[in-house]
Amino acid sequence: MRYEGPIYRPPSEADSLLIQATVGCPHNRCTFCMVYKKGLRFKVRPASEIIEDLNAARAQLGDWSGTIFFPAGNTIAAPTNILVEVFSAARQIFPKVKRMTVYGSAQYVIEKQEAGLRRLAEAGLTRIHLGLESGHDDVLSEIKKGVDRAGQIEAGRLLNKTGIENSVYIILGIAGKALSREHAAATASALNQIAPQYVRLRTFVPKTNTILLRKVKKGDFIMAGPHEVLRETKTLLENLTSSTSLRSDHYTNYINLEGELPMDKQRLLQEIDHALKRDKSTFRPFFIGNQ
Ligand code: SF4
């Protein structure tokens, strides 16, 4: 298998076979994201090369029955014909594959339209990891997500309609102190309309080579602390009525919240209340990772 540029995958794909389908991210403008900022420009690998890699994996792994994730940053943006060819080939090469997934931002999901997404689902695409980040228009605009709340909701509905699972990512603290509560409430209401199968929590940490790190350093963005982020999480959960699996499978979070909603809501709220009583010094450091 050959890889080019940074290869990121969600923690839930830790055991997946990684077959690179695209390089970089076609958007590459989100103010919090460092992944491809100084990297290669977005490109789609030829289907023949991707299929060669699938065959190379088959030679190594045999009739493997796990899951496959196709990096990189927004593989859903690749032409539908190429993706259909690749997913169909993957199913032939690995007939027992359990799940095939890609990253996909809402604007590129919408571009596929219902017909394109149906073709992808039929070819074998089972799940998209989608960065909602926030359901608040001002926040989405500020972080340059490239899509507004209405677009995020439209993409979610399209995925539900076409039977592709939606694994949605939320960034706690991405609105700073200023819009923390509004961000939480608007995000919960967007999620209620999107009804994703998974909601995955991440907490904002300023990363190297990002606009947001520069803003933090200049004092133009005031980061929410652990207790503010926990209150934000509480507002999000209180307002979330959709049935979904909540996961906080990431090192950036101050506490680990896992459960099925609405069944586990009260327990999760109690866990947040318990954490709110902890001293600030008992949480992870404010800055972690590469700054
Ligand atoms: S769409 Fe995803 S990969 Fe691309 S810049 Fe935004 S967060 Fe980064």
Side-chain angles (χ1 to χ4, degrees):
M1 281 85 79
R2 295 154 289 184
Y3 300 103
E4 193 179 352
I7 300 294
Y8 278 74
R9 51 105 188 107
S12 58
E13 303 289 346
D15 296 328
S16 294
L17 170 61
L18 304 180
I19 300 289
Q20 186 161 18
T22 57
V23 176
C25 168
H27 179 59
N28 209 17
R29 295 188 66 218
C30 299
T31 60
F32 60 88
C33 175
M34 61 153 191
V35 179
Y36 306 105
K37 285 292 182 294
K38 300 231 163 158
L40 299 160
R41 285 174 73 90
F42 178 72
K43 69 175 179 191
V44 181
R45 294 181 73 206
S48 57
E49 271 186 27
I50 306 168
I51 294 167
E52 269 173 29
D53 282 358
L54 282 162
N55 281 315
R58 167 81 203 202
Q60 272 188 36
L61 302 171
D63 192 8
W64 178 71
S65 58
T67 55
I68 305 179
F69 177 67
F70 294 88
N74 246 310
T75 290
I76 197 67
T80 305
N81 284 343
I82 292 188
L83 292 177
V84 166
E85 191 179 342
V86 166
F87 297 145
S88 305
R91 266 215 307 219
Q92 277 190 351
I93 295 165
F94 293 109
K96 294 181 186 158
V97 67
K98 285 200 185 71
R99 187 178 77 215
M100 290 199 272
T101 55
V102 294
Y103 276 131
S105 296
Q107 56 269 49
Y108 304 108
V109 170
I110 293 169
E111 273 178 16
K112 290 279 174 265
Q113 301 183 335
E114 189 177 329
L117 292 169
R118 282 197 193 285
R119 285 184 64 206
L120 295 175
E122 279 161 20
L125 179 64
T126 29
R127 180 181 297 174
I128 291 192
H129 294 282
L130 187 149
L132 175 74
E133 331 299 8
S134 174
H136 195 291
D137 265 336
D138 291 352
V139 179
L140 287 168
S141 162
E142 190 63 30
I143 63 175
K144 300 196 188 322
K145 191 64 202 170
V147 65
D148 61 8
R149 170 189 168 87
Q152 295 277 23
I153 293 169
E154 187 187 345
R157 286 183 168 160
L158 276 171
L159 292 178
N160 274 342
K161 223 172 170 181
T162 51
I164 298 172
E165 286 183 345
N166 195 357
S167 171
V168 162
Y169 294 78
I170 304 302
I171 308 183
L172 302 164
I174 195 62
K177 287 194 184 200
L179 279 178
S180 175
R181 196 176 166 77
E182 291 83 351
H183 161 56
T187 301
S189 99
L191 288 170
N192 291 338
Q193 295 183 64
I194 293 168
Q197 284 71 30
Y198 296 91
V199 173
R200 298 185 191 275
L201 304 178
R202 276 81 183 100
T203 301
F204 170 64
V205 172
K207 293 290 182 183
T208 191
N209 292 326
T210 61
I211 293 172
L212 259 175
L213 175 60
R214 288 197 283 280
K215 284 191 173 179
V216 168
K217 283 183 171 166
K218 279 169 68 182
D220 292 342
F221 181 92
I222 310 300
M223 284 170 66
H227 293 101
E228 285 145 331
V229 167
L230 287 168
R231 279 192 285 274
E232 193 174 296
T233 317
K234 190 174 177 183
T235 303
L236 177 81
L237 260 181
E238 283 170 342
N239 288 281
L240 196 54
T241 53
S242 175
S243 294
T244 193
S245 295
L246 185 84
R247 300 279 182 271
S248 39
D249 46 356
H250 209 241
Y251 72 98
T252 54
N253 293 316
Y254 287 110
I255 59 169
N256 189 38
L257 296 168
E258 305 271 334
E260 301 305 310
L261 296 175
M263 201 171 58
D264 295 326
K265 191 170 185 170
Q266 286 315 314
R267 170 183 59 83
L268 294 167
L269 286 170
Q270 279 169 8
E271 287 178 22
I272 296 172
D273 282 339
H274 183 71
L276 277 166
K277 293 185 187 127
R278 283 167 50 187
D279 188 78
K280 196 173 162 181
S281 62
T282 66
F283 294 102
R284 68 152 170 82
F286 210 42
F287 286 83
I288 45 173
N290 293 325
Q291 282 85 32

